[in-house]
Amino acid sequence: MPQIAFGARVRKSPFFERTMAAGASHFTVYNHMYMPVSYGNPLAEYWRLVEGVSMWDVAVERQVEVAGTDAEKLTRYLTTRELKSLEPGQGRYVPICDHNGALINDPVLLPLDGNRFWFSIADSDMKHWAGGVALAGGYDVSVREPDVSPLAIQGPKARNLAEDLFGSWIGELKYFGFREAELQGIPLIVARSGWSKQGGYELYLRDSAKGGALWDIVAEAGQPYDIGPGAPNYIERLESGLVSVGADTDEIADPFEMGLGKFVHLDRQDGFAGKEALGEIAQRGRARRFTGLHIEGTPLDASSQHRWQLNLDGEPAGFISAAAFSPRARGGSGGNIGVGLVKTELAEPGQRLQCESESGMRDIIVAELPFDLSHSP
Amino acid sequence: MPQIAFGARVRKSPFFERTMAAGASHFTVYNHMYMPVSYGNPLAEYWRLVEGVSMWDVAVERQVEVAGTDAEKLTRYLTTRELKSLEPGQGRYVPICDHNGALINDPVLLPLDGNRFWFSIADSDMKHWAGGVALAGGYDVSVREPDVSPLAIQGPKARNLAEDLFGSWIGELKYFGFREAELQGIPLIVARSGWSKQGGYELYLRDSAKGGALWDIVAEAGQPYDIGPGAPNYIERLESGLVSVGADTDEIADPFEMGLGKFVHLDRQDGFAGKEALGEIAQRGRARRFTGLHIEGTPLDASSQHRWQLNLDGEPAGFISAAAFSPRARGGSGGNIGVGLVKTELAEPGQRLQCESESGMRDIIVAELPFDLSHSP
């Protein structure tokens, strides 16, 4: 298999040396930064996440900071949600759409104070989207990427570890809540968040010179919980039905299709990016639906490498954006699962479809998201 | 060395299967797409480019299409250059700056007609920058990425090959000139362009289903010239002093620093993105200069993996953004060369500096770009 080319154009995470030392075996690039996605044993990494605690270099979750007099105004304009309160210390999931209503990012918004907001972004240059809107719209703000790099701890034992590291106030954080903290002089923001449904925290490192030190402290403190390195997990995210913008979305996918309609507030009094187009889409009804898919046949021996076209009796029905073998599916006997965009009229649970996979034609059964792992389709 | 992770989030080029079959050994990611950067023999690939003809999968040079009533107006606003004529069929190199005057991309602009323009971009989401400006500025345009994927042929024998493929009109193309063409029914735009100074052409494939067919036609027609696969070449681009936005630039690098001042027309009557900030920078004078650097000591055995800090007697002097061993440097005896941003007062050819490389402290001598390969520093 081809190697990743390490060079000067793509940035290295502050945790890069530690992830290499820990045996990172596969990398991707996300927000112009190298990201380890495997340490050579995908199943062990999966079980560590769903039964214990895993530590992830997610420095690629870059922050776009919007600051200044018009920061709140621009922040509200960029998001489809009506944010009635913007309480500092409480994060919010905020889909971002372009002029056509297409979903272009789905950050977590961190209100630091009334004039300063971080968008913790998925893989697209929201700095340029926000910057272009700010420039042409005449907003009095600065838009920049600060020196902030999250390290995630995820899994059912993450809370114990976080309490050991920071104290009992960890228990007071609501979901997406965050607080400033320090670990042996390392400046952090600690948030109850992370790209899994197993629970956990993200330690937003605020000084990239201290990445190695932070990694070592967390690895050491995690010993009693048998912590180990991992990465946003391909299998678990499918089970949980987490949207991966860019993977699951195409150029026209809108938030209604992606199951994020509850975050689109068309009854807002103020305008927001994409409002008009989204209003039209809402009237028309969504053309497709993001849904779970059981994939019949022999276990997939690797995650899917590209989109698989879905069809019903030869007619196009949509596509599977990601697929893998879940050891917990079908009540623990295991099964192939996937997610994808399916024509609305064919997206009812139980609907049977076919797809052309990398290992030939397969039968498909539509399922609700998140997957009910306790029973067979 | 770690492998590249192939997955559904990052796109595959229409030439992907062919590059794998041709032995692509290293990949990076550029504009959310996998890009082969080596086929396992860097020196052979270098000599093929500078003495023969090489074929490159540069589908990652994505096109941002701006089309509609206000397309010309928006195109002019986005670029620092005054484009007196925008003649269809003649491309132009057009730096793009943000509100702060920082260089955020340096595309080639292809005017298709009076209402439709392609920006053939470097690695940042110019679709979002242009889209944000268009939305907030109320421009009547569509901004999208069309199905267009360039395949480059580069090197001194590229012209012969292009004439064999397309006919003698190839000789009529000026630099960055382009024309619509077909090869066995495959729709193309053929441009005299490419990211090397060895001469060559880019075949903009306009139907991604036909990538394999195009690759095969070019590989077959190139046999008499001993064509082989390659990629934008790390060594040759250093010799030639080509700017790589993202690698050579940091968040604040401006076009004056990067040696692109001649493309910034502050005396334009109309406004453009970054004009005010660039006016201030021009008055202040540039703080740094992008320059060549001879690197003393033993030959580098691989290209640099990150930025090397430059200093003079322990005081910071700038950074080297990329470095490698050039077999043609020093009159053909070979030598290490690099490029970087150096404090203006220390950027005079002949200035001696030091740097901390991956293989220890090294002496540095500033040089003009492009490098004069015929003599030693």
Coordinates of all heavy atoms in Angstrom, one line a residue, chain B residues 229-275:
Chain B
P229 N 5.4 8.2 -15.6 CA 4.6 9.0 -14.7 C 5.5 9.8 -13.8 O 6.6 9.4 -13.5 CB 3.9 7.9 -13.9 CG 4.8 6.7 -14.0 CD 5.5 6.8 -15.3
G230 N 5.0 10.9 -13.3 CA 5.7 11.7 -12.4 C 4.6 12.6 -11.6 O 3.5 12.3 -11.6
A231 N 5.1 13.6 -11.0 CA 4.3 14.5 -10.2 C 5.0 15.9 -10.1 O 6.2 16.0 -10.4 CB 4.1 13.9 -8.8
P232 N 4.3 16.9 -9.7 CA 4.9 18.2 -9.5 C 6.2 17.9 -8.7 O 6.1 17.3 -7.6 CB 3.9 19.0 -8.7 CG 2.6 18.5 -9.3 CD 2.8 17.0 -9.5
N233 N 7.3 18.4 -9.2 CA 8.6 17.9 -8.7 C 9.2 18.8 -7.7 O 9.5 20.0 -8.0 CB 9.6 17.7 -9.9 CG 10.8 16.9 -9.5 OD1 11.8 17.5 -9.0 ND2 10.8 15.6 -9.7
Y234 N 9.5 18.2 -6.6 CA 10.0 18.9 -5.4 C 11.4 19.6 -5.7 O 11.6 20.8 -5.3 CB 10.2 17.9 -4.3 CG 10.2 18.5 -2.9 CD1 9.0 18.6 -2.3 CD2 11.3 18.9 -2.3 CE1 8.9 19.2 -1.0 CE2 11.3 19.5 -1.0 CZ 10.1 19.6 -0.4 OH 10.0 20.2 0.9
I235 N 12.2 19.0 -6.4 CA 13.6 19.5 -6.7 C 13.5 20.6 -7.8 O 14.0 21.7 -7.6 CB 14.6 18.4 -7.2 CG1 14.6 17.3 -6.2 CG2 15.9 19.0 -7.4 CD1 15.3 16.0 -6.7
E236 N 12.8 20.3 -8.8 CA 12.7 21.3 -10.0 C 12.0 22.5 -9.5 O 12.4 23.6 -10.0 CB 12.0 20.6 -11.1 CG 12.1 21.4 -12.4 CD 11.1 22.4 -12.7 OE1 10.0 22.4 -12.0 OE2 11.3 23.3 -13.5
R237 N 11.0 22.4 -8.7 CA 10.3 23.6 -8.3 C 11.2 24.5 -7.4 O 11.0 25.8 -7.5 CB 8.9 23.3 -7.7 CG 9.0 23.0 -6.2 CD 8.6 24.2 -5.4 NE 8.4 23.9 -4.0 CZ 8.2 24.9 -3.0 NH1 8.1 26.1 -3.4 NH2 8.1 24.5 -1.8
L238 N 12.0 23.9 -6.6 CA 13.0 24.7 -5.9 C 14.0 25.4 -6.8 O 14.2 26.6 -6.7 CB 13.7 23.8 -4.9 CG 12.9 23.2 -3.7 CD1 13.8 22.3 -2.8 CD2 12.3 24.3 -2.9
E239 N 14.6 24.7 -7.7 CA 15.5 25.3 -8.7 C 14.8 26.4 -9.4 O 15.5 27.5 -9.6 CB 15.9 24.2 -9.7 CG 16.7 23.1 -9.2 CD 16.9 21.9 -10.3 OE1 16.2 21.9 -11.3 OE2 17.7 21.1 -10.0
S240 N 13.6 26.3 -9.8 CA 12.9 27.3 -10.6 C 12.3 28.4 -9.7 O 11.8 29.4 -10.2 CB 11.8 26.6 -11.4 OG 12.4 25.7 -12.3
G241 N 12.2 28.2 -8.4 CA 11.7 29.2 -7.5 C 10.2 29.4 -7.6 O 9.7 30.5 -7.4
L242 N 9.5 28.3 -8.0 CA 8.0 28.4 -8.0 C 7.4 28.4 -6.6 O 7.8 27.7 -5.7 CB 7.4 27.1 -8.7 CG 7.7 27.0 -10.2 CD1 7.2 25.7 -10.7 CD2 7.0 28.2 -11.0
V243 N 6.5 29.3 -6.4 CA 5.9 29.5 -5.0 C 4.8 28.4 -4.9 O 4.1 28.1 -5.8 CB 5.2 30.9 -4.9 CG1 4.3 30.9 -3.7 CG2 6.2 32.0 -4.9
S244 N 4.9 27.7 -3.7 CA 3.8 26.8 -3.3 C 3.0 27.4 -2.2 O 3.5 27.4 -1.0 CB 4.5 25.5 -2.9 OG 3.5 24.6 -2.4
V245 N 1.8 27.9 -2.5 CA 1.0 28.5 -1.5 C 0.6 27.5 -0.4 O 0.2 26.4 -0.8 CB -0.2 29.2 -2.1 CG1 -1.2 29.7 -1.0 CG2 0.2 30.4 -2.9
G246 N 0.8 27.8 0.8 CA 0.5 26.8 1.9 C 1.8 26.2 2.4 O 2.0 26.1 3.6
A247 N 2.7 25.9 1.5 CA 4.0 25.4 1.9 C 5.0 26.6 2.2 O 5.6 26.6 3.3 CB 4.7 24.5 0.9
D248 N 5.1 27.5 1.3 CA 6.0 28.6 1.5 C 5.4 29.8 2.2 O 6.1 30.7 2.7 CB 6.5 29.1 0.1 CG 7.2 28.0 -0.7 OD1 7.8 27.2 -0.1 OD2 7.0 28.0 -2.0
T249 N 4.1 29.9 2.2 CA 3.4 31.0 2.9 C 3.0 30.6 4.3 O 2.6 29.5 4.5 CB 2.2 31.4 2.0 OG1 1.3 30.3 1.9 CG2 2.6 32.0 0.7
D250 N 2.9 31.6 5.1 CA 2.3 31.4 6.4 C 1.0 32.2 6.5 O 0.6 32.8 5.4 CB 3.2 31.7 7.6 CG 3.8 33.1 7.5 OD1 3.3 33.9 6.8 OD2 4.8 33.3 8.2
E251 N 0.4 32.3 7.6 CA -0.9 33.0 7.7 C -0.8 34.5 7.3 O -1.9 35.1 7.0 CB -1.5 32.9 9.1 CG -2.3 31.6 9.3 CD -3.5 31.9 10.2 OE1 -3.6 32.9 10.9 OE2 -4.5 31.0 10.1
I252 N 0.4 35.1 7.3 CA 0.5 36.5 7.1 C 1.3 36.9 5.8 O 1.4 38.0 5.5 CB 1.1 37.3 8.3 CG1 2.5 36.7 8.6 CG2 0.2 37.2 9.5 CD1 3.3 37.5 9.6
A253 N 1.8 35.9 5.2 CA 2.7 36.2 4.0 C 1.9 36.9 2.9 O 0.8 36.5 2.6 CB 3.3 34.9 3.4
D254 N 2.5 38.0 2.4 CA 1.7 38.8 1.4 C 2.4 38.7 0.1 O 3.6 38.2 0.0 CB 1.7 40.3 1.9 CG 3.0 40.9 2.0 OD1 3.7 41.0 1.0 OD2 3.4 41.3 3.1
P255 N 1.8 39.1 -1.0 CA 2.4 38.9 -2.3 C 3.7 39.7 -2.5 O 4.5 39.2 -3.3 CB 1.3 39.4 -3.3 CG 0.2 40.0 -2.5 CD 0.4 39.6 -1.1
F256 N 3.8 40.8 -1.9 CA 5.1 41.5 -2.0 C 6.2 40.7 -1.5 O 7.3 40.5 -2.1 CB 5.0 42.9 -1.3 CG 4.0 43.8 -1.7 CD1 2.9 44.1 -0.9 CD2 4.0 44.3 -3.0 CE1 1.9 44.9 -1.4 CE2 3.0 45.1 -3.5 CZ 1.9 45.4 -2.7
E257 N 6.0 40.1 -0.3 CA 7.1 39.2 0.3 C 7.4 38.0 -0.6 O 8.5 37.6 -0.7 CB 6.6 38.7 1.7 CG 6.5 39.7 2.8 CD 6.1 39.2 4.1 OE1 5.2 38.3 4.1 OE2 6.6 39.6 5.1
M258 N 6.3 37.5 -1.3 CA 6.5 36.3 -2.1 C 7.1 36.6 -3.5 O 7.1 35.7 -4.3 CB 5.2 35.5 -2.2 CG 4.6 35.1 -0.8 SD 5.8 34.2 0.2 CE 6.1 32.8 -0.7
G259 N 7.4 37.9 -3.7 CA 8.0 38.2 -5.0 C 6.9 38.3 -6.1 O 7.2 38.3 -7.3
L260 N 5.7 38.5 -5.7 CA 4.6 38.6 -6.6 C 4.0 40.1 -6.7 O 2.9 40.3 -7.2 CB 3.5 37.7 -6.2 CG 3.9 36.2 -6.1 CD1 2.7 35.3 -5.6 CD2 4.4 35.6 -7.4
G261 N 4.8 41.0 -6.3 CA 4.4 42.4 -6.3 C 3.9 42.9 -7.6 O 3.0 43.8 -7.7
K262 N 4.5 42.4 -8.7 CA 4.2 42.9 -10.0 C 2.7 42.5 -10.4 O 2.2 43.1 -11.4 CB 5.1 42.4 -11.1 CG 5.1 40.9 -11.3 CD 6.2 40.5 -12.3 CE 6.3 39.0 -12.3 NZ 7.6 38.4 -12.5
F263 N 2.1 41.6 -9.6 CA 0.7 41.2 -9.9 C -0.2 42.0 -9.0 O -1.4 41.6 -8.9 CB 0.6 39.7 -9.8 CG 1.4 38.9 -10.7 CD1 2.4 38.0 -10.2 CD2 1.4 39.1 -12.1 CE1 3.2 37.3 -11.0 CE2 2.2 38.3 -12.9 CZ 3.1 37.5 -12.4
V264 N 0.2 42.9 -8.2 CA -0.6 43.7 -7.3 C -0.7 45.1 -7.8 O 0.3 45.9 -7.8 CB 0.0 43.7 -5.9 CG1 -1.0 44.5 -4.9 CG2 0.1 42.3 -5.3
H265 N -1.9 45.5 -8.3 CA -2.0 46.8 -9.0 C -2.8 47.7 -8.1 O -4.0 47.9 -8.2 CB -2.7 46.6 -10.4 CG -1.8 45.8 -11.3 ND1 -2.3 44.9 -12.2 CD2 -0.5 45.7 -11.4 CE1 -1.3 44.3 -12.9 NE2 -0.2 44.8 -12.4
L266 N -2.1 48.4 -7.2 CA -2.7 49.3 -6.3 C -3.3 50.5 -6.9 O -4.1 51.2 -6.3 CB -1.7 49.7 -5.2 CG -1.3 48.5 -4.2 CD1 -0.1 49.0 -3.4 CD2 -2.4 48.1 -3.4
D267 N -2.8 50.8 -8.2 CA -3.3 52.0 -8.8 C -4.6 51.7 -9.6 O -5.1 52.6 -10.4 CB -2.2 52.6 -9.8 CG -1.7 51.5 -10.8 OD1 -2.1 50.3 -10.6 OD2 -0.9 51.9 -11.7
R268 N -5.2 50.5 -9.5 CA -6.5 50.3 -10.1 C -7.5 51.2 -9.5 O -7.5 51.6 -8.4 CB -6.9 48.9 -9.7 CG -6.3 47.8 -10.5 CD -6.7 46.4 -10.0 NE -8.1 46.1 -9.9 CZ -8.7 45.0 -9.6 NH1 -7.9 43.9 -9.3 NH2 -10.0 44.8 -9.5
Q269 N -8.4 51.7 -10.4 CA -9.5 52.6 -10.0 C -10.5 51.8 -9.2 O -11.1 52.4 -8.3 CB -10.2 53.2 -11.2 CG -9.3 54.0 -12.1 CD -8.7 55.2 -11.3 OE1 -9.5 56.0 -10.8 NE2 -7.4 55.3 -11.3
D270 N -10.7 50.5 -9.4 CA -11.7 49.8 -8.7 C -11.1 49.1 -7.5 O -9.9 49.0 -7.3 CB -12.4 48.7 -9.6 CG -11.3 47.8 -10.3 OD1 -10.1 48.1 -10.3 OD2 -11.7 46.7 -10.7
G271 N -12.0 48.8 -6.6 CA -11.6 48.1 -5.4 C -11.4 46.6 -5.6 O -11.8 46.0 -6.6
F272 N -10.6 46.0 -4.8 CA -10.4 44.5 -4.9 C -10.1 44.0 -3.5 O -9.6 44.8 -2.6 CB -9.3 44.1 -5.9 CG -7.9 44.6 -5.6 CD1 -7.0 43.9 -4.8 CD2 -7.5 45.9 -6.1 CE1 -5.8 44.4 -4.6 CE2 -6.2 46.3 -5.9 CZ -5.3 45.6 -5.1
A273 N -10.3 42.7 -3.3 CA -10.1 42.1 -1.9 C -8.7 42.3 -1.5 O -7.7 41.9 -2.2 CB -10.4 40.6 -2.0
G274 N -8.5 42.9 -0.3 CA -7.2 43.1 0.2 C -6.5 44.4 -0.1 O -5.4 44.7 0.3
K275 N -7.2 45.3 -1.0 CA -6.5 46.5 -1.5 C -6.0 47.4 -0.4 O -4.8 47.8 -0.5 CB -7.5 47.2 -2.4 CG -6.8 48.4 -3.2 CD -7.8 49.1 -4.1 CE -7.1 50.1 -5.0 NZ -8.0 50.8 -5.9

